Amino acid sequence: MPLYKTQELKIYNSLSGEKEVFTPIHEGNVGMYVCGPTVYSNVHLGNVRTFMSFDMIYRYLRHLGYKVRYVRNITDVGHIVDDVDDGEDKIAKKARVEKVEPMEIVQRYTVDFHEILRAFNFLPPSIEPTATGHIIEQIQIVQKILDSGYAYESNGSVYFDVVKFNEKYHYGQLSGRNIDDMLSNSRDLDGQSDKKNAPDFALWKKADPHHIMRWPSPWSDGFPGWHLECTAMSTKYLGEHFDIHGGGMDLKFPHHECEIAQNEAATGKPPVNYWMHANMLTLNGKKMSKSTGNNILPGEILSGDNTILSKAFTASVTRFFMMQAHYRSILDFSDDAIVAAEKGYNRLMEALTLLGELQAGKNVSTLDIASWKKACYDAMDDDFNSPILIAQLFEGVRFVNLINDGRESLNASDLEEFIKLMNAFVFDILGLDTEKGDSGTLGKLENVVNMLIQMRNQARANKDFAMSDQIRDQLLDLGIQLKDGKEGTTFSIS
């Protein structure tokens, strides 16, 4: 019997603002859509946190025995990635600056996205559709919304009529915004806008002569609006009504609000039962920003090539750090925090190694594994509460040490279940990986490099510059770059 029949999973639904018992539309099957990246730059660490949260959610649903169709898109279309309908799209802008084709930008950063997620031990989604691969479906939805009377054409562009839609439906139901407030607080139309009302959003935009990414449509050569692609791809692969739609908190408005409106206008019914939103990641207590330098890329954590952290950290340590916070909580990333996480991670891995060496005791178990197991599942069933689960895993670490010291014992069947559960929660659900997270090996490498740095310093002091240069150059050949500064010599791994 699948586990989901014995567990009552509750999910916080952003639409209702409450935790609700999860009941899929089709028993035993879950359809989940998560908004993927816009591939115009290296994937942002905050985005990695969001995708990691839904990777953990995907893993737990599968662990419970659900058959999950997980769809996560790639935004590779040339449109404005913002809550406005004017300006230059980010993919085309990057292509113009670098003097390459837009699809070269798309390819480069799609590869980067996949490489980073692979390094952090993500499971691939069931389907990973691209926006450019679904232009026909997007045009069809625009036509449906026009036919329903909730959109209008203006000078080759098509806009969603928010005011008319709100006469029958509720625009603002997800974000809690009021249509009257939106109308009164919106900027005054300058008389040159193609919109009837400022809150109206583009379903299809006519491309100006310089816009590179464009497609023919019944209205103009142009490109789809930002919100349309997710409506097209989610409903194509999950149906007009599906279980879970997820993304970052920043997408709640306008992106997800507009998705709901588009679906209801096209089909007459709400598209999603459970809306889920992961919270943001800050860095040293502040918002991450490239312009201020308060920024770090995921790959820079692994290489140590940054000015934020004291050393390199493995992908599993980083993942463990992120799992220590609930997905709906703001998480602050700092050197002190990840150093502390590394210590906790090492304790957990050492206990798991020891766990495999434990011997079963007599027929009577002195530890209550059943209660511990229930506490682990209760944590995950309470809106995927990974920090509470981790606290229970460290209770498991305590069990391991007690058994190893001979102070407690488990009979053969209880020990077998304990080992199976510890491994399931650590590796299958939290997604940690001993190989990628081998901090001990990383520490040994760090010690060896520091020893070579000392040898190089001694060679320089002896004016043996040939030896000094040889050590530096041979390390560089191995992908280890030395950096000489006022505080001494540091290194980074590429």
Side-chain angles (χ1 to χ4, degrees):
M1 182 170 67
L3 281 170
Y4 67 76
K5 287 184 176 289
T6 62
Q7 305 294 324
E8 185 178 78
L9 171 63
K10 290 185 177 180
I11 294 177
Y12 181 85
N13 191 345
S14 298
L15 194 60
S16 66
E18 297 178 353
K19 291 179 187 176
E20 300 175 5
V21 174
F22 178 63
T23 306
I25 296 166
H26 304 289
E27 184 181 347
N29 295 270
V30 178
M32 181 170 76
Y33 184 89
V34 173
C35 295
T38 301
V39 282
Y40 70 94
S41 65
N42 298 104
V43 62
H44 189 275
L45 186 62
N47 289 339
V48 169
R49 190 216 173 178
T50 294
F51 300 136
M52 190 178 291
S53 296
F54 285 100
D55 180 67
M56 176 267 292
I57 289 165
Y58 178 38
R59 286 169 175 272
Y60 187 62
L61 290 170
R62 289 181 16 148
H63 175 79
L64 291 180
Y66 286 113
K67 182 178 180 181
V68 186
R69 177 175 288 179
Y70 175 22
V71 183
R72 187 187 65 217
N73 73 297
I74 294 286
T75 295
D76 62 346
V77 73
H79 59 61
I80 316 306
V81 187
D82 205 341
D83 60 352
V84 297
D85 294 313
D86 300 309
E88 185 173 18
D89 73 81
K90 295 183 178 182
I91 293 173
K93 181 178 180 180
K94 187 89 168 185
R96 194 190 76 248
V97 169
E98 298 193 14
K99 297 181 179 178
V100 297
E101 283 292 321
M103 279 302 163
E104 291 183 61
I105 297 297
V106 165
Q107 178 68 13
R108 179 193 310 165
Y109 293 114
T110 299
V111 169
D112 168 75
F113 175 67
H114 288 149
E115 286 179 347
I116 289 297
L117 266 55
R118 194 176 298 114
F120 283 90
N121 200 32
F122 281 61
L123 295 177
S126 314
I127 303 173
E128 191 175 57
T130 63
T132 55
H134 296 76
I135 298 296
I136 292 173
E137 289 85 352
Q138 293 176 74
I139 290 173
Q140 289 172 340
I141 291 173
V142 174
Q143 190 59 58
K144 275 187 180 181
I145 297 173
L146 279 167
D147 292 344
S148 71
Y150 295 113
Y152 55 91
E153 183 183 350
S154 180
N155 295 324
S157 295
V158 180
Y159 293 95
F160 190 92
D161 194 331
V162 170
V163 173
K164 186 170 183 183
F165 172 81
N166 201 61
E167 292 173 0
K168 181 177 180 181
Y169 300 98
H170 179 194
Y171 184 79
Q173 58 183 294
L174 180 65
S175 60
R177 302 197 180 202
N178 181 281
I179 186 68
D180 293 329
D181 291 340
M182 281 187 266
L183 286 168
S184 61
N185 293 332
S186 297
R187 60 178 172 77
D188 292 332
L189 296 175
D190 58 10
Q192 312 246 328
S193 173
D194 293 332
K195 298 181 186 181
K196 289 181 181 178
N197 301 287
D200 296 350
F201 57 90
L203 298 172
W204 187 266
K205 282 288 287 182
K206 181 181 180 180
D208 64 46
H210 304 294
H211 202 97
I212 302 170
M213 301 180 81
R214 58 205 293 150
W215 292 266
S217 79
W219 315 286
S220 65
D221 277 6
F223 50 93
W226 171 28
H227 318 298
L228 191 62
E229 62 178 271
C230 288
T231 294
M233 289 182 280
S234 62
T235 55
K236 179 179 176 70
Y237 297 109
L238 299 176
E240 292 180 350
H241 186 207
F242 57 94
D243 297 301
I244 298 172
H245 193 313
M249 196 76 75
D250 57 317
L251 296 180
K252 188 184 285 188
F253 186 88
H255 186 52
H256 290 161
E257 194 74 72
C258 293
E259 277 193 67
I260 293 174
Q262 289 169 163
N263 275 280
E264 290 186 333
T267 68
K269 57 188 177 186
V272 177
N273 283 352
Y274 304 86
W275 284 89
M276 301 181 67
H277 293 92
N279 216 323
M280 66 184 293
L281 184 73
T282 58
L283 180 59
N284 290 323
K286 299 176 182 177
K287 184 178 179 180
M288 281 193 281
S289 168
K290 288 182 183 178
S291 59
T292 63
N294 193 52
N295 186 59
I296 187 169
L297 292 173
E300 293 172 343
I301 299 172
L302 308 183
S303 69
D305 187 15
N306 63 80
T307 59
I308 304 290
L309 303 177
S310 56
K311 62 172 187 171
F313 292 91
T314 65
S316 265
V317 166
T318 309
R319 184 170 181 124
F320 179 74
F321 163 75
M322 292 192 180
M323 290 291 106
Q324 286 182 304
H326 191 271
Y327 78 91
R328 287 192 290 113
S329 300
I330 294 174
L331 174 61
D332 187 54
F333 186 83
S334 69
D335 187 63
D336 288 345
I338 196 168
V339 165
E342 184 179 50
K343 292 175 182 176
Y345 170 83
N346 287 339
R347 276 184 59 213
L348 184 58
M349 290 302 120
E350 287 162 8
L352 286 169
T353 300
L354 190 58
L355 180 60
E357 301 169 359
L358 295 180
Q359 299 295 317
K362 298 177 182 178
N363 291 332
V364 178
S365 297
T366 59
L367 290 168
D368 188 353
I369 295 302
S371 294
W372 172 80
K373 173 183 175 180
K374 182 178 184 302
C376 291
Y377 277 109
D378 284 350
M380 289 303 292
D381 288 339
D382 183 19
D383 193 33
F384 310 99
N385 201 322
S386 60
I388 299 298
L389 171 64
I390 288 173
Q392 291 302 324
L393 292 177
F394 278 106
E395 180 68 4
V397 170
R398 189 177 72 84
F399 287 176
V400 170
N401 292 327
L402 288 171
I403 297 167
N404 186 58
D405 293 342
R407 289 183 283 166
E408 304 283 358
S409 66
L410 290 176
N411 63 35
S413 62
D414 282 350
L415 180 60
E416 181 183 357
E417 181 171 35
F418 182 47
I419 292 171
K420 181 174 128 187
L421 287 168
M422 282 289 285
N423 282 289
F425 283 115
V426 171
F427 300 119
D428 297 343
I429 295 169
L430 293 182
L432 303 181
D433 189 315
T434 52
E435 291 184 12
K436 292 184 177 65
D438 191 351
S439 298
T441 299
L442 188 68
K444 291 174 186 175
L445 173 62
E446 186 175 354
N447 290 337
V448 170
V449 175
N450 284 331
M451 181 182 68
L452 289 169
I453 288 173
Q454 290 175 7
M455 291 172 61
R456 178 170 174 262
N457 289 341
Q458 187 61 51
R460 293 167 78 183
N462 295 336
K463 299 190 184 304
D464 187 355
F465 298 113
M467 176 59 71
S468 168
D469 291 346
Q470 183 181 358
I471 293 172
R472 180 199 63 205
D473 294 343
Q474 288 186 351
L475 284 173
L476 187 60
D477 289 342
L478 295 172
I480 301 169
Q481 183 177 11
L482 300 184
K483 297 179 181 178
D484 296 319
K486 292 180 181 179
E487 304 298 323
T489 302
T490 59
F491 73 93
S492 62
I493 303 171
S494 59

